Structure formats: structure tokens, C-alpha cells
Amino acid sequence: MTMDMSRYLGLFISEATEHLESLGRDLVQLEREGTATVVDSMFRHAHSVKGMASSMGFESIAILAHRVEDLVDAVRQDRARLDRDVVDLLLTAADTMLAQVRAVAENQQPDEASALLTQLGNRVTAMTGKGLATTRVAKVTALKPAGTEAGAAGTAQAGGGAASSSQVAGAPASTASTTGSAAEGVKSADAGASPGSARSPGVVGLAGATVDMGAQGLPLPPDLLAPPGTSSDTASTSGAPSGAAAAVAAAMGLVAPASTDLGDGLKAAASAPVPEAGPVRGASPPRAEPEVRGAMQRWAVRLRIAPTCQVPGVRAFLVHKRLTNLGTLVDLRPALEELKAGRIPDGYIQLELETTAGDTGIHASLRNVAEVEVVSVKPAVAAPAPAVAAPAASEAARASPDATARTVRVRTELLDYFLDTVGELMLATARLREVGKVLPENARPALEEGVYRLHTLVKDLHDKVMTARMTPLSLITDRLPRAARDIARRKEREVDLVITGAEIELDRAILDELADPLMHLLRNCIDHGLESPEERIAAKKGPRGRVLVAVKRARDRVIIEIEDDGRGMDPGKLKSAAVARGLLSVETAARMTDREAFLLSCLPGVSTAKDITDISGRGVGMDAVKRVVENVGGTLEIDSEKGRGTRFTLRLPLTVAVVHLLLVEVGEEVFGLPIAKVVGATEADGEALSRSRETALLPHGNSLLPVHSLDTLVGVPAPPRQGARPFVVMDADSGRVALAVDRLLGQEEVVLKPLSRPLDLLPGLSGVTILGSGRPVFILDVPRLLSA
Amino acid sequence: MRHVIFRVEKERYGLPLSAVREVVVPPARFTRVPRAPSAITGVMNLRGRVVTVVELRQLLNLPDSPTPPARVVLLDRGRRDLGLLVTDVDGIEAVERVSTAPGKLTPAIRGVARLGGLGVTVLDPEGLDAAVVALFTHSK
């Protein structure tokens, strides 16, 4: 393509990735409970990817997506065809496409994946008993008009295909398809079975409209790609892709080159010898024929979906699809997204439609949609907008007007930047306040008032930025079912994964950190927690294990529980492993509660050797899980009962940016200790403490805690002290410890800054902040300081 | 190419102007970095950013000096906030023809050049960066 596509590349990558990830999720869900909606959704995703890829000129992705679509379609026709191998194959294909999209993102040639294509093709052939026609996805520039078509439908599709870049005309196997380059039997099964059977006039409409809009240089919303999913007419499947691709192309702004190419394509298609084209064209909706638009009339339609309807979303969607086939939907309430989700207050749908079909046409098109009652069809006041602008505006409006008005996509880096800047604003405000303190008394009030006002504004802005950063946990939990399936298959386990509360939101930064730990915990549950089906039956459990991921919100914390019903952990074994590695004395081990013992699994080297090989290369072990959770200000707890299962509980703050610190002074330096880990503080005479092998012991409650001097821990010189000094009691990996400090400076709420290179290479630091005095202060990760 | 010329004691050094963001006066005191190698002077607050400051003398293994460093040369290395503690900054000069430096080869040093009849050691920004990271990774 001649045009600079790079502008659309980012959009393509993010959207294609989203679709492919959804496809993977659908697959896993499908295997568990195959419902028609899931299959349809899968089809839609594959389909969208195909359209986008071909409009971007990424043929290999488009072809693969296309084959996937074929296979999904075969499954749609008979869900009994779905077995594990098919799911595996489709998952592999989804992964391959993701890899291809990544390759494209890195400016590399995506892999052709020919072996996989063959596999997919063979599958389809085996399922449907019909051979695949050659699949090709033509580029816009390489387009040739389809010469002879078998049946009117072909014409329509050729028009669509030419308009878009993905050529997917139906070429019934029985007919001689001539100009091989353009005619492709995509839905060969489908098309062959029903050549020209009421070949979805909508396809014509779509394609025509797209060409039209494209030529005018007006973008189209991607919503146009009315997925054939829920409809009962199989005919539409083969045609819609072309429209979809074109719509995507247009929506992605690919109109500039398209305007010429599309024009040519249309002309070519129109001028090609098209026998039998007449009747269908005549019956086809107006937008295929621009000159007909003048006779268009606007209708206000009111519909009601029966309250007894079990699938209002599906019905509403079908209505939407039928009506868009007739003409242009100008106003739709509720918005399409709401409709699809089945959120229809009292079942009423209102819309305005521009069409030439007339009220009889509208009634006719809705006649055989079950459970939908046409309340009224009245002429509406036509839009005063000029003819050229009207379609574009109306198209935009149709794409769920509310949703587009309310949300925008923002790059996460931009959100990070906002947060950084607001954090710095807060620090700057604190600095101003400090400066004000040295001013003479009479000059202060004005400044203080200004600073106060500034502080309020900045705080408010900070809250808003934090709100914008809140992201539902589903962003990471959505990946778990797929992972669970893969792990379970590899380990020959049977597992049901139940996820609840994934809609709960957390700060994006925490969420990003949590992805690996959650995956590791899941792997732990399935790999080590759950027994094999035989063992489970022997233990009088059901053969299928169950892993529950439950997310809850408790005041200012989010609690994530990951629980299995497997064999549980043995505290005795963990203790002896820790003792054997010299991480724990026998006495301490004997005093440990079971709960404390379970946490020993988070010490490096305590988990079994098998563990280590299993996760090597991923860099995440239980110790890393614990560290990540604590670094974002959370805590990890482990509960387990032998034979009954294990539960990991993560308690996380909603946001990382603000942390509570206990500030302590050592020598001339100030350090921050996370309050979350501080148990308490006492004062004692360091010299008077009893010692064991040179380590001082601080009496605390009814136990003795090992004392560490913070100055030696952090390597900061401090003069020796006589007499009483403060000690901070903190939680560390293997029990509590006491830190000897010089002075307690008090608590402070600070904005945490992540450590930039090279500081992040140092062990024992979890972040840095700047105090109101302008002084940078490090926040210590005490367990790491002690172990490193 | 234009270089920022600065001194460590009597020796003159140069860094490409494009690699230097700005030159600032060091604060009265640095915040010490726990467990950092001794060449790390500490961190300072530069308009809300936390900048790690390295003593160039130590980074290049030069002998101890009596005069306290008086300037921080801030490197422009993306989000990596790194500053070099030097004795003083002389100015900006055009440096051409860099020849091999005497002594042990280190990635931080690109070579030597003649400037106004005197020698100047030309530093390599990437090499400096790598040398700082190496300080941290080796000390573990």
C-alpha cells in the first residue's frame, strides 16, 4: 500500500490483540460450557481480526484468522464436533496470531504458519466433509474484478470484496469460478450448500455503503461489522466479512487510499459482466445505489422484547442487524452495547431508521424475529443535515452514542505521567509549606492560605488521576482460565477454575505487578496442590479439582483469595526443610505456628526441588510472590489443611502511590519503614539486653526478638550510643525482628516513587520519596535487607 | 562536536553536549544510599526528581583529592537520573579528532583529544552508564 499505514498500526495491534485474547478466553469457556453465544463471540473475534489484518495488508494474519473462522463455523453448525484437540488447535492458532501481531508490532514479517494452516484446513475438511477452496486474501492494490459470478449473491459480495481488501466472495463449488485471483470460496461449505439463497441484502448494503463512504473520505465506525453470529440465516456469514473488513478499514481511517482503490474496485465490480445481477440489485437496499438515497425516508420505530424472553440481548441484536440491513440507523436507544448485553429497560427499544423500504419493509424485516413486538412505525422528521454529512454523522451516532461520548482510550504511559506529575505537584506543595514556615509571622497567612488552596486542588486532582488508573482485576484474571487449562492438561489434572469478583478495581500499577504472582499461585495450586484424579478418588474426593479465585473489597483493601481443594501443605515438612537449609533453628521451628510455617514456603530454597525446575526461567517463585505483594504494600497469608486444600490470601492496597511510613533516624540519615510491617516500637537500653551468640535479644510480649542495628544493616555510620534507645519491632520473613534506631521521627503519608536505574539494583530498597523538607528518603524493605 | 568540558582536580574531561542535560550545584548534603558502592555519593532532589550522583573520581579510579567537588553534571539518559560529581565545569568547546587514551582501556573512556594546546579525556556516555551499573552488579 502506498499510504503510510504506521498511523493505524498501533490501533490495529491493540485491537487485534484484544480480539485474540478474547478469542482465547472464549475457547476455554467453550470447552467448559459450550453455548451458542460463546461460539458466536469467537466467530466475531476471528472475523474482526481477519477484517483488520486484511485491511492493513497483513495477509498471513488474515489468512490464518480466516481458517480459524472456518473451523469455528464448522463448530457452530454442530457443537458436538468440538473436542479437546479442536480447542487445542484453535488455541494454538490464536497464540500464533498473537505472535504474528507481535511480530508486526516489532516491524517484522509475521510468520506464515503454513503447517498450522494445513492442520486447520484438514480439520475443517474432516468435519464438514467438504474440501476447502483455496484461500487468498487479496490486497487492495492487487485487486481484479470478479469476472463471472454464480448467482446474484456473488455479485454483491464481489462488490463488497472489492471495496474492502479481503476478497471473500462465495464461489459455490458446483459452478465454475473463473478469474481465480478474485473468486474465493471461503465459506465453501456454506456457500455451496445454499448458493444465492436470499443472499443477505445487508451485505450488499454494507459493502455499497462502505464504498460510498470511503469515496467521500468519511470514516465508518467498526460497529458496522454486524456479526452474523446470532442470526439464523446462514447466508450472511460469507458476505459479512467483506463488509466488515471495509468497515474496519474505514473505521481505522484507511479511507485515503481506499477512496481511489475502492472507487476503482466498485467500478470494476459494477462494470464486470454480471448476469442475473439485476433483480437482486433492484431489491437491494438503497445504499448500494447512491442515487437512490434521495428517496430515503426516516422512520421512528418502537419495539418491545417480550418480558419472558430469555435472551433479550440476542433478540435485540438480531433486530439491530435486520434494520441495519434495511438502511441507516440514526438513533438507537438503548445503545448497541447495552442491547448486546441485554440491558434493555422494560424491553423497549427506540430507534430511527433512514430507509427506502417503507414501513411495510420494516415490518417485513422484523416479522420473523421471535419474541419481538413492533409497537409502532411512524414517519420521523428527516434530519436537516446535508446529504453528504448525514451518513457519517448517523453512522457515528449509531455506534452507541453514549459510549463514544463517555470514554476515550488513553495510553497507560500517559496515565503514569499524570500520576508522576501530580505526585511531584504534591511534593512541591509540601515544599512551599516548609518554606513558608521560615517567613516572618505577618507574611505567613497569605502564603499559607494559598498553599492550603493549592494543596486541596492537588489532592483532588490526585484522587481523580488515581480513579482514572483504576482497572478491573479481570485484566489479569481473564488470562487464568487459559493458563489453568494448559497447566492441567500438561499435568494430567482435572480442574474447575472459578473466578469471582474480577470486576473489582485496583490501581493499574499494582495490577501490572500482580500478573506474574497470580499466575504463579495458580500454577502452584494446580501443580502441587491438586492431586491426580486417581489420588482424588482414593481420597474420596471428586476427580475434578477445584481452584477458586475470589476477589473481594474490604474497606480500603482488595483481598484476593486463591484456594484449591487439593492435598494441602505439611507444616512439619516445611519446618524441617527450612531447618535443613539452616534458615531456622530447631527451637524457633518448634515454636512456630502452622500459619507461620506455611509462610516458610516463601523463603528461597525451602520449596521442593521440583518446584524450582518447574518455574525456572520465569523468575517467579513463592519468595518473589511474597516480595511483590509486600512491595506494593500488601500482605500474603497462607492457610492450609492437610487433605483439604490450601488458601493463599493477598491483601492489597487500592493504590501504590501513597504509603504510610514510620520515619526513623540513624546517624544523620532518615529512612522510611512501611507501617504495614511495623508491629510496634519500644525503648530499651541496648547494652543491658541479653545476648545469644552475639545477637542481642529484645523482650517483646512473651518472646525474645533478635535485634538488628539499622546502621549496620544499611551501611550508614552512626556514633555508638549509651543508655536507652528506641527499637522498632517489625515483621520479617522468619518471624519478628527488632531494629535498633537512633530516633523515631513519626509517621508520614508519602508519595512513593519507584527506583530508577541503577538504584533498583540494590537489595533492600522498595522505593524513595521526597519529604516536605525536600529531602529524599529511602523506604526500606527490611526482610530483604536482612536476607541479602 | 561540541563537548562540555569539566575538571576532576587538574585533569580535564569532556562529554558530548547532547549527553548532558544540565549542570547544577550540589546540595549541602546528599541522602546516602543504603548499601551502595562507595563511588555513589548519594541521591539529591532535583526539582522533585531523585537523582543518583556518582563521584567521577572514584568511578574512574583516580586518587583521593583534597578539593571538594563543586558541580554535578547531569546526564541526559532518558528516565535514568544520573549525575556526575566533578570539581568544576569549564565550559563548552568543540572537540575533534579523538585518539586512543593511554592506560587501561575502559568503556567509559573514548579517548583523548587536544584542546587549546592541552589534553582532554573524552568520556563515553553509554560507557559511563554501563560503568555505574557495573558498580552495583559487581558489589553484590
Side-chain angles (χ1 to χ4, degrees):
Chain A
M1 272 185 205
T2 47
M3 198 193 53
D4 174 25
M5 301 293 279
S6 59
R7 281 168 58 203
Y8 312 108
L9 189 60
L11 190 60
F12 166 74
I13 289 162
S14 72
E15 293 198 340
T17 308
E18 266 172 34
H19 280 296
L20 289 170
E21 281 171 354
S22 309
L23 179 65
R25 276 199 296 281
D26 285 346
L27 275 164
V28 177
Q29 199 195 339
L30 183 70
E31 199 180 30
R32 250 184 305 146
E33 28 151 5
T35 62
T37 27
V38 181
V39 185
D40 290 338
S41 156
M42 278 165 55
F43 191 87
R44 262 197 311 274
H45 291 307
H47 190 70
S48 307
V49 171
K50 182 176 78 178
M52 295 174 185
S54 62
S55 53
M56 291 294 290
F58 300 130
E59 269 194 69
S60 51
I61 303 177
I63 292 174
L64 188 49
H66 182 80
R67 287 284 169 93
V68 167
E69 212 183 297
D70 284 345
L71 191 51
V72 173
D73 195 49
V75 170
R76 175 156 64 179
Q77 289 164 23
D78 179 2
R79 238 170 299 132
R81 285 166 176 164
L82 188 82
D83 57 22
R84 276 193 168 184
D85 293 334
V86 172
V87 174
D88 276 341
L89 189 58
L90 286 170
L91 281 173
T92 315
D95 288 346
T96 310
M97 282 189 276
L98 270 173
Q100 286 175 327
V101 171
R102 267 197 299 276
V104 165
E106 285 156 18
N107 218 355
Q108 287 163 4
Q109 198 61 32
D111 186 39
E112 293 284 336
S114 43
L116 185 59
L117 285 176
T118 321
Q119 261 181 301
L120 286 165
N122 291 344
R123 250 308 149 158
V124 176
T125 317
M127 276 185 183
T128 59
K130 282 168 191 145
L132 264 191
T134 45
T135 307
R136 231 189 97 262
V137 182
K139 284 187 184 171
V140 170
T141 44
L143 251 173
K144 281 181 200 158
T148 322
E149 307 296 330
T155 317
Q157 284 159 1
S164 73
S165 49
S166 89
Q167 176 67 310
V168 274
S174 58
T175 338
S177 69
T178 51
T179 47
S181 68
E184 285 134 39
V186 169
K187 290 280 160 290
S188 63
D190 236 1
S194 55
S197 63
R199 269 281 170 211
S200 62
V203 171
V204 184
L206 266 176
T210 310
V211 170
D212 202 293
M213 317 267 312
Q216 290 163 12
L218 294 169
L220 260 167
D223 244 42
L224 254 189
L225 36 125
T230 42
S231 92
S232 52
D233 62 340
T234 49
S236 61
T237 49
S238 49
S242 51
V248 169
M252 290 178 71
L254 305 182
V255 282
S259 57
T260 52
D261 285 340
L262 290 183
D264 293 343
L266 182 65
K267 262 181 263 155
S271 62
V274 189
E276 299 172 73
V280 169
R281 289 214 147 213
S284 72
R287 290 196 297 147
E289 309 279 2
E291 66 270 23
V292 189
R293 193 182 283 136
M296 196 173 281
Q297 196 184 351
R298 191 185 275 209
W299 297 91
V301 183
R302 200 166 145 81
L303 303 163
R304 180 154 194 246
I305 296 196
T308 51
C309 178
Q310 293 293 309
V311 281
V314 174
R315 299 291 173 226
F317 187 73
L318 193 52
V319 166
H320 174 264
K321 189 170 129 43
R322 291 283 169 89
L323 292 177
T324 37
N325 287 350
L326 280 187
T328 312
L329 268 179
V330 195
D331 186 19
L332 178 64
R333 271 173 294 180
L336 185 57
E337 286 307 313
E338 301 285 305
L339 285 184
K340 280 201 259 186
R343 286 189 290 271
I344 308 162
D346 299 321
Y348 282 104
I349 303 172
Q350 285 187 56
L351 54 93
E352 287 191 9
L353 178 71
E354 275 184 358
T355 178
T356 51
D359 55 348
T360 45
I362 295 172
H363 276 291
S365 76
L366 295 174
R367 195 179 303 132
N368 55 357
V369 182
E371 298 177 289
V372 174
E373 177 198 350
V374 179
V375 178
S376 65
V377 178
K378 293 177 195 148
V381 187
V388 176
S394 58
E395 292 296 344
R398 193 167 57 77
S400 60
D402 293 355
T404 42
R406 264 188 273 126
T407 52
V408 286
R409 262 171 196 253
V410 178
R411 278 180 304 121
T412 45
E413 303 94 77
L414 195 60
L415 282 178
D416 289 346
Y417 176 81
F418 286 158
L419 184 65
D420 267 11
T421 313
V422 173
E424 271 164 31
L425 268 175
M426 282 176 101
L427 297 172
T429 312
R431 176 94 186 104
L432 274 181
R433 180 180 293 143
E434 289 290 318
V435 169
K437 285 183 184 156
V438 303
L439 287 179
E441 200 73 52
N442 56 353
R444 254 189 251 169
L447 179 75
E448 270 168 10
E449 196 198 315
V451 169
Y452 177 77
R453 178 101 183 98
L454 181 63
H455 176 78
T456 328
L457 287 172
V458 171
K459 187 92 175 96
D460 190 39
L461 182 60
H462 181 260
D463 288 350
K464 291 288 180 292
V465 171
M466 291 318 294
T467 315
R469 289 171 53 90
M470 297 301 269
T471 316
L473 247 124
S474 54
L475 188 77
I476 52 178
T477 54
D478 278 356
R479 285 181 231 162
L480 298 180
R482 166 76 197 276
R485 179 188 184 275
D486 287 355
I487 303 163
R489 272 210 89 177
R490 210 169 46 238
K491 292 280 159 182
E492 287 169 1
R493 299 279 194 272
E494 302 274 345
V495 60
D496 286 323
L497 177 67
V498 181
I499 301 176
T500 62
E503 73 284 352
I504 288 170
E505 294 182 327
L506 263 178
D507 186 88
R508 171 118 210 161
I510 298 187
L511 217 55
D512 288 347
E513 294 288 320
L514 282 182
D516 285 345
L518 274 191
M519 196 63 86
H520 181 77
L521 290 175
L522 177 75
R523 196 178 299 125
N524 235 321
C525 285
I526 300 173
D527 246 18
H528 309 304
L530 294 183
E531 316 89 330
S532 66
E534 300 76 44
E535 277 177 75
R536 289 184 67 90
I537 291 165
K540 298 203 171 60
K541 296 182 187 176
R544 291 182 75 82
R546 188 178 136 98
V547 175
L548 175 70
V549 178
V551 185
K552 296 172 209 155
R553 172 98 188 247
R555 279 177 298 136
D556 61 338
R557 299 242 129 185
V558 168
I559 297 166
I560 306 178
E561 290 175 343
I562 301 174
E563 188 179 343
D564 67 57
D565 65 348
R567 56 171 74 92
M569 283 159 76
D570 184 342
K573 269 192 189 165
L574 284 166
K575 284 183 191 175
S576 42
V579 172
R581 276 162 218 266
L583 297 161
L584 203 64
S585 70
V586 182
E587 307 80 60
T588 332
R591 276 203 312 274
M592 251 185 186
T593 62
D594 283 355
R595 221 174 226 228
E596 287 168 327
F598 295 135
L599 282 174
L600 290 174
S601 62
C602 300
L603 292 178
V606 171
S607 43
T608 60
K610 189 166 153 258
D611 242 331
I612 290 159
T613 50
D614 215 353
I615 56 171
S616 64
R618 293 183 180 268
V620 180
M622 279 307 293
D623 58 326
V625 170
K626 185 158 184 279
R627 196 163 63 242
V628 168
V629 170
E630 287 177 355
N631 276 351
V632 299
T635 60
L636 173 73
E637 269 172 48
I638 308 175
D639 271 317
S640 188
E641 198 178 330
K642 208 160 185 301
R644 300 291 293 276
T646 304
R647 177 168 64 223
F648 300 93
T649 309
L650 283 66
R651 282 171 213 278
L652 302 159
L654 292 172
T655 61
V656 262
V658 176
V659 287
H660 285 268
L661 293 182
L662 173 65
L663 294 177
V664 298
E665 195 175 56
V666 178
E668 291 190 326
E669 297 297 320
V670 176
F671 293 103
L673 300 171
I675 288 276
K677 306 235 79 188
V678 173
V679 179
T682 56
E683 204 153 87
D685 183 349
E687 300 299 309
L689 294 177
S690 54
R691 281 162 194 276
S692 157
R693 287 176 297 166
E694 307 231 298
T695 305
L697 295 169
L698 180 79
H700 185 262
N702 45 15
S703 61
L704 287 169
L705 305 180
V707 171
H708 297 271
S709 172
L710 195 56
D711 52 357
T712 40
L713 272 185
V714 295
V716 162
R721 287 183 56 129
Q722 306 288 314
R725 70 185 304 177
F727 291 88
V728 180
V729 178
M730 294 192 70
D731 275 323
D733 282 344
S734 41
R736 289 177 178 172
V737 295
L739 297 179
V741 300
D742 288 344
R743 210 147 66 92
L744 300 176
L745 299 175
Q747 293 187 28
E748 195 148 335
E749 200 175 306
V750 302
V751 183
L752 187 92
K753 289 169 159 292
L755 297 165
S756 59
R757 196 131 280 224
L759 296 177
D760 61 334
L761 296 169
L762 288 170
L765 301 182
S766 59
V768 64
T769 188
I770 297 176
L771 298 184
S773 60
R775 179 178 192 163
V777 161
F778 286 103
I779 293 134
L780 302 177
D781 176 353
V782 175
R784 289 265 287 157
L785 267 183
L786 290 171
S787 62
Chain B
M1 202 157 93
R2 299 215 292 167
H3 280 63
V4 176
I5 308 297
F6 48 90
R7 278 183 294 117
V8 176
E9 283 297 297
K10 295 270 167 3
E11 287 184 13
R12 297 205 299 168
Y13 291 87
L15 264 174
L17 184 59
S18 58
V20 176
R21 190 188 300 159
E22 62 182 307
V23 175
V24 296
V25 178
R29 62 183 308 280
F30 286 99
T31 292
R32 292 178 67 110
V33 183
R35 298 203 176 181
S38 65
I40 305 295
T41 312
V43 295
M44 61 182 276
N45 167 14
L46 182 83
R47 299 187 293 269
R49 301 189 78 112
V50 176
V51 178
T52 308
V53 179
V54 187
E55 204 173 335
L56 187 60
R57 193 171 46 76
Q58 287 205 45
L59 189 65
L60 300 176
N61 293 318
L62 303 175
D64 270 1
S65 68
T67 29
R71 290 288 184 272
V72 176
V73 177
L74 288 171
L75 297 185
D76 195 358
R77 315 234 13 93
R79 290 183 65 89
R80 191 175 293 195
D81 297 309
L82 197 61
L84 298 175
L85 197 56
V86 302
T87 309
D88 207 353
V89 173
D90 289 351
I92 295 167
E93 307 274 358
V95 171
E96 311 295 334
R97 297 178 57 114
V98 179
S99 51
T100 318
K104 209 175 98 207
L105 275 177
T106 81
I109 292 172
R110 227 179 83 204
V112 289
R114 251 175 82 105
L115 187 67
L118 298 167
V120 58
T121 310
V122 179
L123 301 173
D124 181 88
E126 267 86 51
L128 276 177
D129 213 36
V132 173
V133 171
L135 278 181
F136 281 80
T137 41
H138 290 168
S139 65
K140 260 192 204 162

